[in-house]
Amino acid sequence: MKSINELIKEINELKSELHNKDFLLTWEQSPEELERVLKTAQVLKAMRQENIATNVFKNGLGISLFRDNSTRTRFSYASAINMLGLAQQDLDEGKSQIAHGETVRETANMISFCADAIGIRDDMYLGAGNAYMREVGEALDEGVKEGVLPNRPALVNLQCDIDHPTQSMADLAWLEEHFGDLKKLKGKKIAMTWAYSPSYGKPLSVPQGIIGLMTRFGMDVTLAHPEGYDLIPEVVEQARQNAEASGGSFTQVASMEEAFKDADIVYPKSWAPYQVMERRTELLRANDHDGLKALEQECLAQNANHKDWHCTEEMMKHTKDGEALYMHCLPADITGVSCKEGEVEESVFEKYRIATYKEASWKPYVIAAMIMNRKYQEPGAVLQQLLDEYEKRVK
């Protein structure tokens, strides 16, 4: 394990323009920038473990806007901004003037007078979530340019319709920890597969985030899903380009068995078909409750045709030495526990349960690292100052 000083030195050596852009899609960032976020997260985690205070801000707000339910990401964001010294303020749209027609441009500026970070989850409408975040970002840029805001808040994508960068980066941090080094991931096979779920409408952003990120680091990424459960075509094409650039590979297969064959890592996770999410978005916008109910029944029936897409002990035997690392963003649909039939067999999940908790534990540090790299051109220098001052978090 590298020391904090070694990590800070490596952070300082990595080229980055993250201080000039928001972290909205992982494939918009260079490999060096992604690595710098990972190393910043590692330093923050190490400092926390050594009881060193990491509150780089003495005051200020971290605004959160969640347009969908969340446990891990909601509390990870709260942990991240608190770790950095910010107070959290949740934007409840039902209690704001947004319901009365306030524009995105106006809202973005009104909530940001003393804000240093804004985290947004907006994954319900295909084609809208990431676009909304960019609109907020443009409004913040205008606010700073025109002297309305004293500084530019860091804008972090806490999950949108396209990507879930805080999740995939936490997953990557966990893989680096598990295998010992980022370079050791090159050539490792990760199987991102659809899995049966008794629910519908699960976002596309997790599988898209995985194929969009892991292909950046020379991994052999295999995507598998039943016919008709396609991801957004542009993201799939992006994954192909990423693999070609990194020296890895990106393959699509038609069965879980084939995807699991000799895999080092498996990520069985349900999602709704791309075409279904398009229809769902249209129905949501039209407030067509009957149409939504009919679509749900149609999709549940479609899902039920693929119950064999199930991560069982027998399925895990296809993996490398039968011991591939199981991953999940949580909560998993566990057969016999959280549902009658689901994504993963109880015995498999229980074997890797603590591993999935460790996977999730990286998210607060990753979010904090994204904020630091947006707010500071030289985050390594800021971390070094905290280390030199060595103020105890718990005195």
Side-chain angles (χ1 to χ4, degrees), residues 342-359:
E343 298 168 321
V344 59
E345 198 170 53
E346 181 183 3
S347 58
V348 174
F349 183 80
E350 190 59 30
K351 179 179 178 180
Y352 295 94
R353 180 171 57 83
I354 297 303
T356 64
Y357 292 175
K358 290 181 178 180
E359 176 187 353

Side-chain angles (χ1 to χ4, degrees), residues 65 95 97 132 137 157 189 223 240 256 273-274 282 325 328 390:
L65 171 56
K95 296 179 180 178
Q97 293 295 340
Y132 172 76
N157 177 0
K189 180 180 178 180
L223 174 67
R240 287 197 186 95
M256 183 179 276
Y274 164 59
E282 291 171 3
L325 176 66
H328 200 285
Y390 198 88

Side-chain angles (χ1 to χ4, degrees), residues 23-67:
F23 206 112
L24 300 184
L25 300 171
T26 62
W27 47 91
E28 292 178 332
Q29 325 307 332
S30 72
E32 280 190 277
E33 289 169 339
L34 295 171
E35 192 171 349
R36 197 162 90 154
V37 169
L38 290 178
K39 291 184 186 300
T40 303
Q42 289 167 10
V43 171
L44 289 168
K45 188 172 187 179
M47 292 175 75
R48 176 80 175 191
Q49 291 171 340
E50 294 187 21
N51 198 36
I52 302 172
T54 55
N55 49 319
V56 296
F57 301 105
K58 299 304 180 185
N59 54 55
L61 291 176
I63 310 295
S64 58
L65 171 56
F66 283 82
R67 290 176 158 174

Side-chain angles (χ1 to χ4, degrees), residues 33-210:
E33 289 169 339
L34 295 171
E35 192 171 349
R36 197 162 90 154
V37 169
L38 290 178
K39 291 184 186 300
T40 303
Q42 289 167 10
V43 171
L44 289 168
K45 188 172 187 179
M47 292 175 75
R48 176 80 175 191
Q49 291 171 340
E50 294 187 21
N51 198 36
I52 302 172
T54 55
N55 49 319
V56 296
F57 301 105
K58 299 304 180 185
N59 54 55
L61 291 176
I63 310 295
S64 58
L65 171 56
F66 283 82
R67 290 176 158 174
D68 201 358
N69 295 332
S70 172
T71 301
R72 273 145 292 277
T73 305
R74 183 183 292 274
F75 279 86
S76 292
Y77 179 75
S79 297
I81 60 173
N82 180 268
M83 188 191 312
L84 297 177
L86 300 174
Q88 184 182 14
Q89 179 61 55
D90 189 55
L91 173 58
D92 185 337
E93 292 184 303
K95 296 179 180 178
S96 73
Q97 293 295 340
I98 294 172
H100 296 162
E102 184 176 271
T103 64
V104 174
R105 181 175 58 190
E106 189 170 328
T107 301
N109 278 272
M110 295 306 105
I111 67 174
S112 300
F113 292 136
C114 293
D116 284 288
I118 300 174
I120 301 176
R121 167 169 283 192
D122 189 351
D123 61 357
M124 303 247 334
Y125 298 92
L126 202 61
N130 198 269
Y132 172 76
M133 295 175 189
R134 293 180 191 279
E135 189 176 357
V136 170
E138 290 170 3
L140 296 175
D141 290 338
E142 181 188 44
V144 173
K145 179 182 177 182
E146 299 298 333
V148 175
L149 304 177
N151 57 64
R152 174 56 154 77
L155 182 59
V156 180
N157 177 0
L158 300 178
Q159 188 172 15
C160 71
D161 50 317
I162 301 173
D163 193 10
H164 195 347
T166 63
Q167 178 65 52
S168 59
M169 286 292 287
D171 292 340
L172 183 60
W174 165 232
L175 288 176
E176 182 176 9
E177 177 188 352
H178 181 78
F179 289 103
D181 194 284
L182 205 58
K183 293 184 177 68
K184 291 182 180 179
L185 298 184
K186 192 173 182 65
K188 289 280 190 297
K189 180 180 178 180
I190 179 169
M192 181 70 240
T193 77
W194 187 86
Y196 169 73
S197 171
S199 65
Y200 106 108
K202 293 182 186 290
L204 304 167
S205 46
V206 169
Q208 291 177 167
I210 293 300

